[in-house]
Amino acid sequence: MKRKRKKAAKQVMIYVLAFALCIYVLAPYAWLIISSISTKTDLLSKPLRWLPRKPTLENYLKIFLGTSGGTTSAANQFKYALGNSFLIAVVVTIIALAAGVLAAYAFARFNFRLKKSLFYSVIITQMVPPVALLIPMYIIYLRMDLTDSKTGLIIIYLSMTLPFVIWIMKGYLTNLPMDLEDAARVDGCSQMQAFFKIVLPLSGPGLASTAIFIFIMAWNEFFYAVNLTSSMTAKTVPVLITEFSSKAGYDFIMAATGGVLASIPPVVLSLVFQKFIVSGLTAGAVKS
């Protein structure tokens, strides 16, 4: 009887903690959505109203139609920033996957001198804080005429995401059995043919989960984008959201609306490919 009570108490505690964690994670996003459909009067009323009296989609129409009202031209530029972010994130994802998977395969399958040292040197770059690299990076970009350009952001984002791809995919590829590759080699395939015909199809979950994380990292990056861009040539969504202001000050409602729209692509990707994310990361975390 006591064991059953203890077991029931543990289950109740788990559910309570899980519920509290969900509230902690989802409450800020829920408030972001509520703010985006509220009026300024409802948002600033005292006592605080959790639900607006008159929900409105006016702020979304301002962004979609490009009419900013009393705010700056940020609403008019939002669609262009959205296109910049999407283009940069897609290009970074494709290049990082193509280069990172090949490097990860080399680390997972081949033995060569300084293998561990090279692998750790790639991973250790993630430990350097971005603020320490900003000034030298800015000087280099000025001399190479890469400031305020999508190419410049793509190069920086690749330096951030490639070590992540190599780290995740090395763990995943290490746990793939070599028997199928050996059989393909016996049948006459070269090393690269075995890689493309055998390894890549088997690496689907790992590739999908890694691609999603790369896309989200490139989509959400703010620090380098805000310091290296100044016009709509390369300005991304996270930077533009900080520019929703008017004569009365910062427009929190329009910023919340932009935040909701900017969060849709990563949220949709995560929900659609949830199974791939879990299976890919789980497989990559297990040592053979």
Side-chain angles (χ1 to χ4, degrees):
M1 194 68 179
K2 289 183 178 180
R3 289 182 179 178
K4 290 183 179 180
R5 289 180 179 177
K6 287 183 179 180
K7 187 175 181 180
K10 287 182 179 179
Q11 289 180 342
V12 171
M13 183 62 67
I14 291 173
Y15 285 120
V16 169
L17 292 175
F19 180 75
L21 182 61
C22 288
I23 295 296
Y24 177 78
V25 172
L26 296 177
Y29 189 66
W31 182 248
L32 188 72
I33 297 175
I34 293 170
S35 300
S36 70
I37 59 174
S38 301
T39 61
K40 198 168 185 179
T41 304
D42 288 333
L43 202 60
L44 299 178
S45 63
K46 294 182 179 181
L48 179 66
R49 286 184 170 275
W50 291 103
L51 295 175
R53 287 181 179 180
K54 296 180 180 180
T56 177
L57 296 176
E58 181 183 358
N59 302 307
Y60 291 94
L61 292 176
K62 286 180 180 179
I63 287 180
F64 286 126
L65 299 179
T67 56
S68 56
T71 61
T72 62
S73 58
N76 304 327
Q77 299 172 346
F78 191 85
K79 290 178 288 187
Y80 300 104
L82 205 63
N84 289 341
S85 290
F86 186 78
L87 177 62
I88 291 171
V90 169
V91 172
V92 168
T93 301
I94 293 173
I95 297 177
L97 267 186
V101 170
L102 289 172
Y105 182 71
F107 282 118
R109 287 290 189 260
F110 302 141
N111 291 316
F112 49 88
R113 291 183 62 187
L114 303 177
K115 175 181 175 179
K116 288 187 177 180
S117 300
L118 287 174
F119 179 73
Y120 290 136
S121 67
V122 171
I123 302 303
I124 204 171
T125 58
Q126 299 296 87
M127 300 174 64
V128 181
V131 67
L133 300 175
L134 178 61
I135 294 177
M137 189 70 70
Y138 186 77
I139 294 173
I140 293 172
Y141 269 41
L142 275 178
R143 293 180 178 178
M144 298 181 66
D145 197 24
L146 287 174
T147 56
D148 198 26
S149 69
K150 289 189 269 295
T151 303
L153 290 182
I154 288 171
I155 293 172
I156 287 185
Y157 293 174
L158 284 173
S159 69
M160 296 165 50
T161 55
L162 268 173
F164 179 82
V165 177
I166 295 172
W167 175 50
I168 293 294
M169 289 308 300
K170 177 186 178 294
Y172 192 90
L173 294 174
T174 300
N175 288 281
L176 289 180
M178 294 188 63
D179 297 342
L180 294 176
E181 288 179 70
D182 294 338
R185 296 294 300 277
V186 170
D187 289 338
C189 287
S190 65
Q191 187 78 45
M192 291 305 296
Q193 287 176 330
F195 171 75
F196 285 110
K197 293 181 179 180
I198 304 298
V199 176
L200 282 186
L202 292 176
S203 305
L207 291 171
S209 60
T210 306
I212 293 168
F213 275 99
I214 297 170
F215 184 90
I216 293 175
M217 288 170 67
W219 182 273
N220 292 335
E221 203 284 326
F222 174 77
F223 181 75
Y224 286 117
V226 75
N227 285 287
L228 295 176
T229 61
S230 57
S231 70
M232 288 312 302
T233 303
K235 193 173 292 184
T236 58
V237 169
V239 177
L240 193 69
I241 290 176
T242 66
E243 299 180 0
F244 282 108
S245 59
S246 65
K247 294 179 180 178
Y250 190 70
D251 194 336
F252 294 99
I253 297 177
M254 288 298 294
T257 307
V260 172
L261 293 175
S263 68
I264 290 175
V267 169
V268 171
L269 279 175
S270 300
L271 292 177
V272 171
F273 296 101
Q274 181 181 5
K275 293 182 179 179
F276 289 106
I277 295 174
V278 175
S279 61
L281 292 182
T282 303
V286 178
K287 292 184 179 181
S288 57

